[in-house]
Amino acid sequence: MITKIDHIAIVTPDLDASAGFWADVLGLTVARTEHVSAEDVNIAFLPVGESDIELLEPTSPTSGVARYLDKKGAGIHHLCLESDDLEADLARLHAANVPLITEKPITNAYGKRYAFIHPKGTGGVLIELYEGAK
Amino acid sequence: MITKIDHIAIVTPDLDASAGFWADVLGLTVARTEHVSAEDVNIAFLPVGESDIELLEPTSPTSGVARYLDKKGAGIHHLCLESDDLEADLARLHAANVPLITEKPITNAYGKRYAFIHPKGTGGVLIELYEGAK
């Protein structure tokens, strides 16, 4: 079951400038930053209610996020929904023939699994499903 | 102060098909639907945690949402953040010279006020601020 919006990911060419808007102007707080070398991105996490705004800055011109930025420009990259049963939610997607970008869930540095649903199966939205607490 | 994500608005050419994905495949529930004649849209609201997925279907080919759909295609239209003090949050935006689409807040059918921030001032994201509970 989908339990909440985990985060909204927003691509930016300049993490500091973008964090300035979300923190200094909108009043959110940068709770932490990360460099994910496997994806060549810097990430800033700004909590808002039970969700996060996740700012993504590419650190290599050939990364997926850099290519997205070149093609689509800065803005919302994907919507991440928390699932309390990733297997069951992925099984429903498979049964409905909804295409996944990641056929098998990927495990992140925190031991949590996630998968991406292709926008062509969702009505144009890149959706990440993220394994939350059961 | 920004307190939570109120909703993510997603434009679709076909509300029933789109609601089918979000409800039948992802397992969310259509809590209510509305026709907003002032904006020529049908809206379906699907709660997810403390937020909503809001599906928007244009009902006139000349409406703002129809023009967005023609230009950008189906997908995420805007991010709505709840504010517990709209005046103070708008004052901070004004002080930072962030351009608003709605210079004065608009009052909706429920007596709640909202305003849209121009994407050129936010790093490419159309942001709505919505007046929530104080």
Side-chain angles (χ1 to χ4, degrees), chain A residues 2-5 8 10 21-22 25-28 48-51 74-76 79 81 92-93 96 121-125 127, chain B residues 2-5 8 10 21-22 25-28 48-51 74-76 79 81 92-93 96 121-125 127:
Chain A
I2 305 300
T3 50
K4 67 169 189 171
I5 295 173
I8 307 285
I10 296 168
F21 169 73
W22 289 90
V25 182
L26 280 185
L28 303 184
V48 51
E50 67 187 11
S51 308
I76 294 175
L79 166 63
L81 303 171
R92 263 204 327 278
L93 290 162
T122 70
V125 182
I127 297 176
Chain B
I2 305 300
T3 50
K4 66 169 189 172
I5 294 174
I8 306 285
I10 296 169
F21 169 73
W22 289 89
V25 182
L26 280 186
L28 303 184
V48 52
E50 66 187 11
S51 308
I76 293 175
L79 166 63
L81 303 171
R92 261 202 329 274
L93 290 161
T122 70
V125 181
I127 298 176

Side-chain angles (χ1 to χ4, degrees), chain B residues 19-125:
Chain B
F21 169 73
W22 289 89
D24 302 339
V25 182
L26 280 186
L28 303 184
T29 300
V30 177
R32 73 179 200 279
T33 58
E34 270 183 25
H35 174 66
V36 180
S37 55
E39 293 171 24
D40 283 335
V41 285
N42 290 323
I43 312 181
F45 298 87
L46 299 95
V48 52
E50 66 187 11
S51 308
D52 281 320
I53 301 295
E54 238 191 61
L55 303 175
L56 304 176
E57 173 196 54
T59 57
S60 136
T62 55
S63 66
V65 169
R67 291 198 309 272
Y68 183 96
L69 191 57
D70 284 346
K71 189 173 167 191
K72 304 263 195 172
I76 293 175
H77 181 265
H78 69 267
L79 166 63
C80 178
L81 303 171
E82 186 179 279
S83 163
D84 65 357
D85 188 341
L86 194 62
E87 296 302 336
D89 286 328
L90 292 177
R92 261 202 329 274
L93 290 161
H94 278 297
N97 291 315
V98 174
L100 301 182
I101 290 177
T102 42
E103 268 307 312
K104 296 270 177 195
I106 298 167
T107 301
N108 72 9
Y110 305 103
K112 293 286 191 177
R113 293 177 307 157
Y114 63 95
F116 278 90
I117 311 173
H118 200 290
K120 71 185 176 191
T122 70
V125 181

Side-chain angles (χ1 to χ4, degrees), chain A residues 40-125:
Chain A
D40 284 334
V41 285
N42 290 323
I43 313 181
F45 298 87
L46 299 95
V48 51
E50 67 187 11
S51 308
D52 280 322
I53 301 294
E54 239 191 61
L55 303 175
L56 304 176
E57 175 196 54
T59 56
S60 135
T62 55
S63 68
V65 169
R67 291 198 309 272
Y68 183 96
L69 190 58
D70 284 345
K71 190 173 166 191
K72 305 261 195 175
I76 294 175
H77 180 265
H78 69 266
L79 166 63
C80 178
L81 303 171
E82 186 180 278
S83 163
D84 65 357
D85 188 341
L86 193 63
E87 296 302 335
D89 286 329
L90 291 177
R92 263 204 327 278
L93 290 162
H94 279 297
N97 292 313
V98 173
L100 301 182
I101 291 177
T102 40
E103 268 309 310
K104 296 270 178 199
I106 298 166
T107 301
N108 70 11
Y110 304 103
K112 293 286 190 178
R113 293 177 309 156
Y114 63 95
F116 278 90
I117 311 173
H118 200 289
K120 71 185 176 192
T122 70
V125 182

